[in-house]
Amino acid sequence: MPKSTLSWSESAVVALICFGLFTLWSVQAVLSGFPDARFTDDGNWQMVGVELVLALAALLYLRARRFDIASLYPQPTLAGTGIGLLLFVACWLGGTLTTSALGVAGEGDVIAFSFDQTSLASRVGLAVVNGSFEEVFLLGVLVRGLRGHGLSVALGVPLLVRVLYHLYQGPLGVVWVATFGVLLSLAYVWRQDLWPPVLAHILWDIVPTL
């Protein structure tokens, strides 16, 4: 019978498969002084390919560990779509309020993102794959899988993983990402539905590029 919880070692393996490479790249960016991020169509499609390969590897591992992978496919519904839209707005407002309250919204904290060399198709493609990839494995696997260790662990460990591979965005970006992660995690715990957080994340990745 498929299981829905994970041991510490199983959680660590999933986190390493899905986010280890991105965490390494993020730390390298920090050590390089937070260089600006410039996106290209080729880079976007390559990232899509990398995430699909990592997702396949993680799913194969989870299947071997008898995890309930059938529950990891977001199921779009009208109600879930409405909640996802509201969640996106809540995340945006929450990020704005948090960065303002913490005083990290200065110009020196901003990492420039350039999308001038990207098509709308590659932006949308990357947003759909990236938003689904991150939330399926952070929420559907890690938050859900770690709930047997207590709610604080189930929320805190995936949030730490999320922050680590976003360090390249600098202080401002880390605060935004942390706020975003907390709200998405709470929404998932509340409804046990992946679609609203996935949709909110997809919009989060698309809207700034427009």
Side-chain angles (χ1 to χ4, degrees), residues 8-9 20 25-26 57 102 104 126 131 133 135-136 155 170 207:
W8 280 111
S9 60
W25 288 346
S26 186
L102 294 178
V104 294
L126 178 58
F133 174 80
E135 303 316 325
V136 163
L155 294 176
V207 171

Side-chain angles (χ1 to χ4, degrees), residues 95-180:
T96 300
L97 292 173
T98 305
T99 53
S100 298
L102 294 178
V104 294
E107 184 177 345
D109 297 315
V110 178
I111 305 301
F113 291 87
S114 173
F115 300 95
D116 295 341
Q117 301 179 43
T118 61
S119 65
L120 181 60
S122 76
R123 298 180 203 177
V124 172
L126 178 58
V128 170
V129 172
N130 183 66
S132 302
F133 174 80
E134 291 193 25
E135 303 316 325
V136 163
F137 290 105
L138 284 173
L139 303 183
V141 176
L142 294 181
V143 168
R144 184 184 179 198
L146 288 169
R147 72 184 188 279
H149 300 280
L151 184 59
S152 59
V153 171
L155 294 176
V157 171
L159 181 63
L160 176 61
V161 173
R162 189 190 296 267
V163 167
L164 286 176
Y165 69 84
H166 283 99
L167 288 175
Y168 73 93
Q169 294 188 9
L172 176 65
V174 165
V175 173
W176 274 90
V177 167
T179 304
F180 179 69

Side-chain angles (χ1 to χ4, degrees), residues 182-205:
V182 167
L183 293 175
L184 293 192
S185 297
L186 292 175
Y188 176 69
V189 170
W190 168 45
R191 286 182 52 88
Q192 294 297 303
D193 183 0
L194 278 171
W195 174 238
V198 166
L199 177 59
H201 194 142
I202 291 172
L203 294 173
W204 184 274
D205 285 350

Side-chain angles (χ1 to χ4, degrees), residues 84-100:
L85 293 172
L86 292 175
L87 185 57
F88 165 70
V89 174
C91 288
W92 199 272
L93 292 175
T96 300
L97 292 173
T98 305
T99 53
S100 298

Side-chain angles (χ1 to χ4, degrees), residues 21-85:
L21 179 61
F22 300 126
T23 300
L24 177 61
W25 288 346
S26 186
V27 171
Q28 288 176 337
V30 172
L31 297 177
S32 299
F34 302 102
D36 293 342
R38 300 187 181 279
F39 292 84
T40 64
D41 280 342
D42 287 345
N44 284 354
W45 292 124
Q46 287 172 9
M47 184 61 70
V48 166
V50 168
E51 291 190 342
L52 290 177
V53 169
L54 295 177
L56 178 60
L59 290 173
L60 289 174
Y61 172 75
L62 289 168
R63 182 177 181 180
R65 304 306 298 174
R66 298 182 179 179
F67 190 82
D68 182 16
I69 61 174
S71 65
L72 299 179
Y73 301 99
Q75 302 292 326
T77 62
L78 184 60
T81 298
I83 293 173
L85 293 172

